Amino acid sequence: WEGEFFPGIPKIKYEGPSSKNPLAFKYYNANEEILGKKMKDWMRFSIAFWHTFRGTGGDPFGAPTKVWPWEDGTNSLAMAKRRMRANFEFINKLGVDRWCFHDRDIAPDGKTLTESNSNLDEVVALAKELQGSHVKPLWGTAQLFMHPHYMHGGATSSEVGVYAFAAAQVKKAMEVTHYLGGENFVFWGGREGYQSLLNTDMERELGHMAAFLKAAADFKKKIGFNGTLLIEPKPQEPTKHQYDWDAATTANFLRKYGLLDEYKLNIECNHATLSGHSCHHELETARINGLLGNIDANTGDPQIGWDTDQFLTDISEATLVMLSVVRNGGLAPGGFNFDAKLRRESTDVEDLFIAHISGMDTLARGLRNVAKLLEDGSLDKLIRKRYESFDSEIGAAIEAGKADFEMLEKKAMEWGEPSVPSAKQELAEMIFQSAL
Amino acid sequence: WEGEFFPGIPKIKYEGPSSKNPLAFKYYNANEEILGKKMKDWMRFSIAFWHTFRGTGGDPFGAPTKVWPWEDGTNSLAMAKRRMRANFEFINKLGVDRWCFHDRDIAPDGKTLTESNSNLDEVVALAKELQGSHVKPLWGTAQLFMHPHYMHGGATSSEVGVYAFAAAQVKKAMEVTHYLGGENFVFWGGREGYQSLLNTDMERELGHMAAFLKAAADFKKKIGFNGTLLIEPKPQEPTKHQYDWDAATTANFLRKYGLLDEYKLNIECNHATLSGHSCHHELETARINGLLGNIDANTGDPQIGWDTDQFLTDISEATLVMLSVVRNGGLAPGGFNFDAKLRRESTDVEDLFIAHISGMDTLARGLRNVAKLLEDGSLDKLIRKRYESFDSEIGAAIEAGKADFEMLEKKAMEWGEPSVPSAKQELAEMIFQSAL
Amino acid sequence: WEGEFFPGIPKIKYEGPSSKNPLAFKYYNANEEILGKKMKDWMRFSIAFWHTFRGTGGDPFGAPTKVWPWEDGTNSLAMAKRRMRANFEFINKLGVDRWCFHDRDIAPDGKTLTESNSNLDEVVALAKELQGSHVKPLWGTAQLFMHPHYMHGGATSSEVGVYAFAAAQVKKAMEVTHYLGGENFVFWGGREGYQSLLNTDMERELGHMAAFLKAAADFKKKIGFNGTLLIEPKPQEPTKHQYDWDAATTANFLRKYGLLDEYKLNIECNHATLSGHSCHHELETARINGLLGNIDANTGDPQIGWDTDQFLTDISEATLVMLSVVRNGGLAPGGFNFDAKLRRESTDVEDLFIAHISGMDTLARGLRNVAKLLEDGSLDKLIRKRYESFDSEIGAAIEAGKADFEMLEKKAMEWGEPSVPSAKQELAEMIFQSAL
Amino acid sequence: WEGEFFPGIPKIKYEGPSSKNPLAFKYYNANEEILGKKMKDWMRFSIAFWHTFRGTGGDPFGAPTKVWPWEDGTNSLAMAKRRMRANFEFINKLGVDRWCFHDRDIAPDGKTLTESNSNLDEVVALAKELQGSHVKPLWGTAQLFMHPHYMHGGATSSEVGVYAFAAAQVKKAMEVTHYLGGENFVFWGGREGYQSLLNTDMERELGHMAAFLKAAADFKKKIGFNGTLLIEPKPQEPTKHQYDWDAATTANFLRKYGLLDEYKLNIECNHATLSGHSCHHELETARINGLLGNIDANTGDPQIGWDTDQFLTDISEATLVMLSVVRNGGLAPGGFNFDAKLRRESTDVEDLFIAHISGMDTLARGLRNVAKLLEDGSLDKLIRKRYESFDSEIGAAIEAGKADFEMLEKKAMEWGEPSVPSAKQELAEMIFQSAL
């Protein structure tokens, strides 16, 4: 393969909201400062190698639909390298600085672990070179779900041999992520869960998972990798129940097994909604638990019960997402990874660009809306006012854990029937919408 | 009101599976021993005063439908006492030993807290007398959701006056529960959550909730109440999001705020399914976290997105519920509370009996099935066999937290491609069904 | 009650998008022309009497929270009249021309049907007077769900006496709607469905429902009422299954029983999503079946499984709704009824105005966006281009029903492997968002 | 491949409920007479070739897990024939008389339609021979969803070339089904729907679908195929919205386009629950519309939002399914097709047998329960009694369409407040359970 992979596509530029050019940014202006930081530093966008370069359009009822011109139909090492070059051309044309990968996406499985590792090394060496000085992985991860030997899980497999194999694979993936300058390392436990409780020892499996994650945290320190370890909650699919169901479930697991200081969370919006929560709820839950580390930027379909991994184009949702990010003071060393894929029926090379531009612009538009909201200030004021009765002496005593039931009963008797003002939700919604 | 409340209804007896009598037990035989305990000691059934004696059949689109003959249309103290006598006749005819109540179900709200407390005292004195020597509350609780002043929550209200009022109310409810010999005290936070994140300071509210529950635990000790404090998870309804979403979320909350040793969980099957889990999953999650304290025995409708509180009649679900209970060594001092109500269209007095008999029989049938399953032993054997590779030296090292990634990688290299046997889920399902 | 009901609230005016005044329109400018029609003629807004004047904030777990100053705590005729005057002040201050009502909302139930009818007549006479020359009902309807005798349904009750009673009630409600100059009459079959198939003869009930609706259509003609009869689909709640599940189910019913020419549909967005469809899907389904007659303008919560009847504030959804309306050439003689209520916790009188202003502005904003989309034209062009292969000779033969399998097979053989271009969904989403 | 495909598996026999042999029937006794018919004539079981012989265990996140010993890793014609021999050994050992297939399951796609047809002919000739005198297809169907050229649909593709190709494929599939003595022909429109309304002309697509199905019905008659044409409703997956959403939606489509006499429905339980209905509801809806033609016997998971196609093992659900079948007088010429697959983790050859035995036994147990219910008679009696007020003169007038609103109003006035007895749902549930 000689020359460009995307010959018709220029370097994507910011043209502003009035532009009709699908291959230009209308809201994302990387170096523009918003709320005291450059847009690119708020966003820290990353391309997901798997969706963008390994997504085939296959689904449970359909064969692959995407035939990118640079693909030769093989899973060879040579093809893996060519694909990696396409990845970096894509990254550079889009103007982002980060990428994410699974070990088995970027290099083919070998017949043995040794061969797989060697394949990986070869592709990683090329990636290192292509990264140059300004690009690096937002995070790496190990693919512990595709291979049939992971059918019962990796860390939670009923087979000790699989547990060991998974450990070896994570070890290597962590090493190469470190080598590439990755800023985080992610665990997505797609097979860490159960299909049926009838044949499962859930307690034993959870214990194994904790042991595995403890060993991972130990190994990280051993090799001097300073990146954040992240767990990505998802309620189900492919399993009936995934142990990392949602942010609160994962936080409970981390607390129970003494892993709270070692891990943070990678919140995915589509996973949030599959677990019955809004994305904003999951982000706030992670933030409040001190665990918001990264965002998988995508969206689902409110009427669909599986993971559709669509590019986020909803302005309102993007504004709420950015509200959590701003409250968190940003996401660094995490960022926004586009864990989003083209629809199966979108088969033009340019669709890859259009989708990413649209996703980036939507979040950028969200950030601009948050700036408007904060500058206006009336929503914050409304909230502060709601709770002002707790800014009192007795409120302070309660918040300090010093108000016992006897004292409170005395106060209640003294005060009589309490007053309860309107929550002003419709007003809050009106103010919020006015910033969109 | 003179004489019997349920004149046509005899004391309900066990007549065995071939009986066609709707007013007889076919499976529940209180003193029969199953798996080493009397059935009544496994079940510890309790009647929910609110559904059985205060349920009106009203719904968001419909007026009350139930006009029990003993009701006079008022919410007077006299009526409250008459109703309490009906309750004990019901309990005695049904042959159970426990009941559950909210403070405001059994006695009318007064104009002031003092008056409400005095009303409560009067009814409680009668209840104490009617309990006699063998009946007592499985648990009491405070109703912190019906009154308009709780519209923003009790412990999580934005108003400090409401927080204090709620504290005073719980204090009193705990005192009367203690006085009546109650074995547990429950918190159901129906209004402890949010309707919209736009006008909510979730972090502050969670902090208030923790302070409240801490004060409750302190007060319990102060008055020498040895009952278990229980939190009842529910994902939503009436709020959009309830802070006690499910067992794992509540466990995370308890761990985060240092309350893990003070509280257990009251799992309700209908709440489980509303949160996206099977009831069995929630029971197992509570059990594994050491938190399974009580069960609200009901069921929902798999196609309905709100709480229907139906009597459980599904044999398969009942068997799974009893499997968790048996694994837990029983529920004492907790039990099974029938948090279940007649359908709105069921308006005969005898329907109250039919529904409870059906619910009790279903769980009893579940227990009998569990006994069959355990005696047969093949399901347990299937599970143990699945994990037997962990009963090895390396498995033991892993489970002891002594297997690091280097050692595991060495093993993985040495062992080569791991084998993964069939999970035999269909066989497990066949074995399970054969016990039904 | 003397003087104004809403003393602090002025007549609501259009102030444009930059206004920060919660009591002003920012997008709805009644007489402004958009796409060839005045905004008010596109929207035909209507106030729902039940939510706005009879909504109490009660929910299945909570007592009423709203205590409007003009309410005296009774359900008397005098109170009904006072409330009606408040309604018309509200309508006039908001600047709309239509209202909707249930018979039992506006006048109290009597002890007999005769008394109920007489109560209704008295209030209706006042309403007629207050309507003046410019206001009239968008539609009237009969409340066949609140009274306990409707617990098994009205037209589908198992009791023939209830069927007759429901017929008499609809007869009267239709008469008063006609008298008031109502433009439509609606059937919402909240209780026309089942709670359990175990005790239901669904076929017989459906037959009764058809007979009832046939008799209603006959009666309409008899009295010279030219308004449209509308059925409002809803999947469930309060019943487990409502016979008018969604637009397609209702269309099937109308076709099966020969009622297709007599009825149209009133689509409610919250009902759409409860049935597993987007609101836009239900509108398009109704439109394609020639049945789009009216819209109940509200929204639900994507994470909630019951009817929340919130005011629509989502700009994207509003734009899609207006797209269907514009394609339908408007809704007249139907319109937009605000079947939406304040949150239970919104208890200020001004919240009633804020909520309606917000809902009206959101739909107005949607209409403005549709105008932008149509003027831009690229989305329509994208769709037309997708199907252009059917604008061929063979395409025409297919669409005319003249292409048989032999002919098509011959073509397929001749043409060889068909080409399938990208569906360009991400581009369509980008174009759509650019109009928001 | 020489000799047996399932060497360790004997011909499956009936051993009765006390048998612990996983490879024996405990409830299905083919020639035993129940309710006047042999069990095998009620059930008319069929094996789904695709799941049983082409199911690989692959899922959206995982590679195939099943490596049946007779597979050689190719998709050759020789392999197709070997697989067909395995199919008939399986059928014979299981003791069923019917099978179902997609054209592309049983024979490989060729490079051209001609080659595909020729491959199909070769395999079909072998199947015809292997069928012998007693086995035949319950139904055949064309696979219009796997190939990338069907990504926008077959009959509803935006490309006319694809429409023609689909027509040619259905034509051939219908011919071979006819040749093999198939009793039905099925349409499952997995891709006939939309992913987004933004780029879809739904009305035009629906028109194309109707034209296609009309042409199919014409072709059927032309070749003298007397089998029933069946449409299989499914709400979604792989598309966001499938045009054959549920039974009522499909019935509406058939009525609208004049196809009601040409098609019946193939109801799948897992599709029913995905559309928000119980399986029993969908069966009853199809039955009442005169459209119940066949059942795809499987089940889903109440907590899972995609098609899991599990073998039905729930006794209660099976009893309800059989209740509809018995009310329908059986399903012939339709039957029960096992559209169910092994879990991905079930990888033993014997699991194929265990799963089918379990599914067959469950339905047989359902039939036995229905016999008990009908013999007992109390459930039927309860239902008849509920509606007995319609067995009156006025009831008859209503049901004959002769009761107008004036007459009904007169009756309502005359009768006064109607009485409404209890619906006795809990009693109905108790009676139902007692038959399980």
Side-chain angles (χ1 to χ4, degrees), chain B residues 303-348:
Chain B
Q303 278 92 41
I304 286 182
W306 65 91
D307 209 4
T308 61
D309 280 346
Q310 294 173 252
F311 284 86
L312 177 62
T313 60
D314 188 274
I315 304 164
S316 169
E317 194 174 347
T319 306
L320 292 169
V321 166
M322 292 312 303
L323 197 55
S324 287
V325 170
V326 170
R327 280 182 190 156
N328 204 53
L331 292 168
F336 280 98
N337 172 48
F338 277 109
D339 192 9
K341 65 185 178 197
L342 290 185
R343 297 307 82 204
R344 182 174 185 259
E345 304 78 14
S346 299
T347 51
D348 292 344

Side-chain angles (χ1 to χ4, degrees), chain B residues 37-88:
Chain B
K37 253 189 239 192
K38 286 185 179 169
M39 288 188 99
K40 68 176 182 181
D41 295 330
W42 279 117
M43 315 313 282
R44 299 172 56 83
F45 286 128
S46 164
I47 302 309
F49 192 89
W50 56 96
H51 282 313
T52 304
F53 288 95
R54 302 310 304 270
T56 65
D59 72 19
F61 302 90
T65 56
K66 294 182 211 310
V67 203
W68 305 133
W70 55 85
E71 291 285 335
D72 66 6
T74 72
N75 191 20
S76 68
L77 249 180
M79 186 59 240
K81 290 182 190 171
R82 189 192 298 165
R83 210 180 273 131
M84 189 57 76
R85 292 204 306 276
N87 177 45
F88 281 93

Side-chain angles (χ1 to χ4, degrees), chain B residues 61-354:
Chain B
F61 302 90
T65 56
K66 294 182 211 310
V67 203
W68 305 133
W70 55 85
E71 291 285 335
D72 66 6
T74 72
N75 191 20
S76 68
L77 249 180
M79 186 59 240
K81 290 182 190 171
R82 189 192 298 165
R83 210 180 273 131
M84 189 57 76
R85 292 204 306 276
N87 177 45
F88 281 93
E89 186 182 322
F90 185 78
I91 284 175
N92 289 324
K93 287 197 163 168
L94 205 57
V96 300
D97 300 329
R98 286 167 187 85
W99 64 300
C100 290
F101 65 94
H102 293 85
D103 49 1
R104 295 297 178 261
D105 290 321
I106 58 172
D109 241 329
K111 275 181 202 134
T112 61
L113 195 49
T114 312
E115 193 183 321
S116 298
N117 287 350
S118 142
N119 289 347
L120 187 55
D121 284 335
E122 215 171 314
V123 179
V124 160
L126 173 64
K128 176 90 170 170
E129 181 193 323
L130 294 167
Q131 283 191 161
S133 59
H134 68 297
V135 179
K136 52 187 169 174
L138 180 63
W139 40 266
T141 182
Q143 198 205 64
L144 304 181
F145 46 87
M146 188 63 75
H147 196 286
H149 58 220
Y150 290 128
M151 74 179 179
H152 306 310
T156 64
S157 174
S158 45
E159 295 303 310
V160 76
V162 176
Y163 181 99
F165 202 98
Q169 195 177 326
V170 168
K171 175 176 174 291
K172 180 69 183 173
M174 217 181 260
E175 286 164 351
V176 307
T177 301
H178 184 35
Y179 169 75
L180 287 167
E183 297 171 287
N184 305 270
F185 188 86
V186 163
F187 292 82
W188 174 63
R191 304 269 172 211
E192 316 296 5
Y194 62 81
Q195 296 290 20
S196 167
L197 276 176
L198 284 180
N199 61 354
T200 301
D201 186 334
M202 179 157 62
E203 190 168 10
R204 201 167 184 184
E205 291 200 1
L206 286 165
H208 295 176
M209 190 161 93
F212 192 94
L213 293 175
K214 179 65 171 47
D218 290 344
F219 183 70
K220 167 188 135 169
K221 289 167 198 162
K222 196 158 195 173
I223 62 171
F225 174 49
N226 294 319
T228 306
L229 300 181
L230 294 161
I231 294 178
E232 180 177 333
K234 184 178 180 185
Q236 57 185 189
E237 198 201 18
T239 59
K240 174 195 164 54
H241 176 91
Q242 202 163 307
Y243 293 133
D244 306 322
W245 181 272
D246 62 4
T249 301
T250 310
N252 179 52
F253 173 85
L254 293 175
R255 290 180 200 281
K256 184 177 177 205
Y257 291 100
L259 294 163
L260 195 68
D261 297 336
E262 310 290 355
Y263 287 85
K264 291 201 166 185
L265 301 180
N266 176 28
I267 299 297
E268 175 171 327
C269 288
N270 201 159
H271 296 175
T273 50
L274 287 173
S275 69
H277 306 297
S278 68
C279 186
H280 191 41
H281 171 82
E282 281 292 89
L283 293 171
E284 288 295 291
T285 298
R287 189 181 65 77
I288 288 173
N289 280 275
L291 294 171
L292 179 53
N294 195 81
I295 293 176
D296 262 16
N298 66 15
T299 195
D301 183 302
Q303 278 92 41
I304 286 182
W306 65 91
D307 209 4
T308 61
D309 280 346
Q310 294 173 252
F311 284 86
L312 177 62
T313 60
D314 188 274
I315 304 164
S316 169
E317 194 174 347
T319 306
L320 292 169
V321 166
M322 292 312 303
L323 197 55
S324 287
V325 170
V326 170
R327 280 182 190 156
N328 204 53
L331 292 168
F336 280 98
N337 172 48
F338 277 109
D339 192 9
K341 65 185 178 197
L342 290 185
R343 297 307 82 204
R344 182 174 185 259
E345 304 78 14
S346 299
T347 51
D348 292 344
V349 167
E350 68 154 25
D351 293 337
L352 287 169
F353 282 87
I354 290 172

Side-chain angles (χ1 to χ4, degrees), chain A residues 59-61 234-238 268 270-271 273-274 299-310 341 343, chain D residues 60-61 191 194-195 234-242 245 274 304-307:
Chain A
D59 73 19
F61 302 89
K234 185 179 180 184
Q236 56 184 189
E237 197 202 20
E268 177 171 327
N270 201 157
H271 296 175
T273 51
L274 288 172
T299 197
D301 183 303
Q303 279 91 41
I304 286 182
W306 65 91
D307 209 4
T308 61
D309 279 346
Q310 294 175 252
K341 65 185 178 197
R343 298 305 85 203
Chain D
F61 302 89
R191 303 271 173 211
Y194 62 79
Q195 295 290 19
K234 185 178 179 184
Q236 56 184 190
E237 199 204 17
T239 59
K240 173 192 166 55
H241 175 90
Q242 202 163 306
W245 181 272
L274 287 173
I304 286 182
W306 64 91
D307 209 4

